[in-house]
Amino acid sequence: MTISIRSVEKKFGRYPALNKVDLEIADGELLALLGPSGSGKTTLLRTIAGLEFPDEGQVLFHGEDVTYASAAARRVGFVFQQYALFKHMTVAKNIAFGLDVRKGKDKPSKAEIAQRVEDLLKLVELEGLGQRYPSQLSGGQRQRVALSRALAVQPSVLLLDEPFGALDAKVRKELRQWLRTLHHSINVTSIFVTHDQEEALEVAHRVVVMDKGRIEQVGSPSDVYDAPATAFVHGFIGESVMLPVEISGGAVHLKGRPLDLAAEGAAVGASTLFVRRHDMMIGPAGSGTLDGDITHVRSFGPVQRAEIALAEGMATIEIDAPRDRELRVGDRVGLKPRHYRIFAGG
């Protein structure tokens, strides 16, 4: 199912939740809507689902205008963060619910429903658990049941709203990998909302980065990480050093001091220099673009993070370096960006 979002606007009172949003979603794509709270990602998902209707614009499914069609008419499967399972029903009954409530010729036979439930339990790796109740399952298992229930009705589109937000970090990581594999099996156009950038970059085919009701960038995970289109995207995705600089005379200045960096066609005036923490190379004092004193070092995983007070009180920044690089508090070091971006605006 292809989906087209055309100039969609949505306000809640005077608040613009969606502002002229345009988006094309390919058939069978797994798309992430990523952004901070209040960015509009859940409102966009609910508008695609038919749970909200836009004030302006169109929503098309496979070229058909469904802007004001109900969620049922759109044949959308929806998975919520809090599972929303029926506590008094077994796992099998929960999965079968959407089929059991159908009327007349639309309702499959009992044998067909039982087979569908069995197939889905196998698909989500919960074979043999059909007669258990939700309270007897782990959080990750309950979310798989919720996903199975959404898939039981054979939706044209699968929508997931922060599907792993209520789970602990280890289970979230396991389910992210599982969802990617599952999507490859079912090949249903799927859209999920998340504020977790790692989740979006790991799972999705494409990522839509949103802020203040607008789309900032759409691209593959590598596109939005390696080539952020705006200052917001660079600051939101990944961890960056951000320094207020001035562009003048074709040079980059920090606190009035020229830096040995190309301005890269940046407009004259106040700008922001962005460098990924791991892209700031560290060497002996005087060997880089900037000098600074190490004030704190802590290690985690394969990296160590150093807090560095830049010389002449220009700023204090944090950078990441390999664990095998010896960094000591009190040492003066030189810093030079390996890769960097400059965006207009201070």
Side-chain angles (χ1 to χ4, degrees):
M1 176 70 72
T2 60
I3 301 173
S4 299
I5 311 298
R6 297 182 181 173
S7 299
V8 164
E9 296 186 30
K10 179 67 179 179
K11 289 185 178 180
F12 295 109
R14 297 173 62 183
Y15 175 72
L18 296 175
N19 195 340
K20 295 285 185 184
V21 171
D22 289 288
L23 180 64
E24 297 292 328
I25 304 167
D27 185 28
E29 185 170 22
L30 178 55
L31 186 85
L33 301 179
L34 174 66
S37 297
S39 61
K41 56 189 186 297
T42 293
T43 302
L44 179 56
L45 191 79
R46 290 174 62 84
T47 300
I48 293 170
L51 300 175
E52 298 283 356
F53 300 119
D55 301 324
E56 300 287 343
Q58 287 182 299
V59 178
L60 290 84
F61 279 19
H62 230 53
E64 180 184 350
D65 190 339
V66 296
T67 307
Y68 300 106
S70 67
R74 299 184 197 197
R75 288 188 51 231
V76 166
F78 213 113
V79 180
F80 299 92
Q81 177 178 330
Q82 296 297 337
Y83 322 128
L85 299 177
F86 298 112
K87 296 178 182 179
H88 65 287
M89 290 184 180
T90 64
V91 166
K93 285 290 186 183
N94 265 284
I95 295 172
F97 179 77
L99 300 174
D100 281 332
V101 297
R102 286 183 174 176
K103 304 295 182 183
K105 64 180 182 180
D106 291 331
K107 184 175 181 176
S109 68
K110 287 185 178 181
E112 288 172 326
I113 292 175
Q115 186 61 53
R116 179 70 175 153
V117 169
E118 185 179 330
D119 291 344
L120 284 166
L121 285 170
K122 182 177 181 180
L123 181 68
V124 301
E125 301 172 5
L126 292 177
E127 290 176 278
L129 301 184
Q131 297 312 304
R132 290 193 185 182
Y133 288 86
S135 62
Q136 297 173 304
L137 303 179
S138 69
Q141 289 173 327
R142 275 178 275 178
Q143 194 58 290
R144 294 187 191 200
V145 175
L147 186 53
S148 300
R149 184 175 62 185
L151 292 173
V153 296
Q154 297 178 304
S156 58
V157 178
L158 180 63
L159 306 177
L160 305 99
D161 189 5
E162 299 275 8
F164 310 138
L167 304 171
D168 65 52
K170 183 176 184 296
V171 176
R172 280 205 310 271
K173 190 165 186 66
E174 290 171 354
L175 284 186
R176 288 203 297 261
Q177 296 167 343
W178 172 79
L179 177 61
R180 190 172 60 233
T181 302
L182 176 70
H183 181 268
H184 182 73
S185 300
I186 61 176
N187 200 37
V188 173
T189 304
S190 303
I191 306 165
F192 71 97
V193 159
T194 183
H195 64 271
D196 183 331
Q197 55 182 279
E198 183 180 334
E199 188 168 282
L201 297 177
E202 183 178 340
V203 175
H205 298 151
R206 283 194 306 156
V207 178
V208 179
V209 185
M210 299 187 67
D211 185 43
K212 298 177 182 176
R214 296 179 182 273
I215 292 177
E216 292 275 335
Q217 186 173 357
V218 182
S220 68
S222 58
D223 286 340
V224 297
Y225 187 87
D226 296 329
T230 67
F232 172 81
V233 176
H234 207 310
F236 184 72
I237 294 180
E239 295 183 312
S240 299
V241 173
M242 293 177 280
L243 294 171
V245 295
E246 189 82 17
I247 308 300
S248 62
V252 182
H253 296 79
L254 175 61
K255 296 285 182 73
R257 174 190 164 186
L259 303 179
D260 183 22
L261 296 175
E264 296 191 325
V268 172
S271 300
T272 302
L273 172 70
F274 289 83
V275 186
R276 300 285 187 207
R277 285 178 174 170
H278 62 267
D279 277 332
M280 190 71 88
M281 296 186 294
I282 188 167
S287 66
T289 303
L290 297 161
D291 279 352
D293 298 310
I294 298 175
T295 58
H296 185 70
V297 179
R298 64 188 187 277
S299 298
F300 53 96
V303 302
Q304 56 185 332
R305 181 159 296 167
E307 183 180 282
I308 299 176
L310 298 182
E312 301 172 17
M314 289 188 289
T316 297
I317 64 173
E318 290 186 325
I319 68 163
D320 290 343
R323 285 284 291 270
D324 59 2
R325 176 65 190 265
E326 185 177 1
L327 300 177
R328 296 176 299 187
V329 173
D331 283 356
R332 174 155 285 210
V333 295
L335 302 171
K336 185 176 182 62
R338 183 184 293 108
H339 303 290
Y340 63 92
R341 297 289 299 276
I342 298 173
F343 291 98

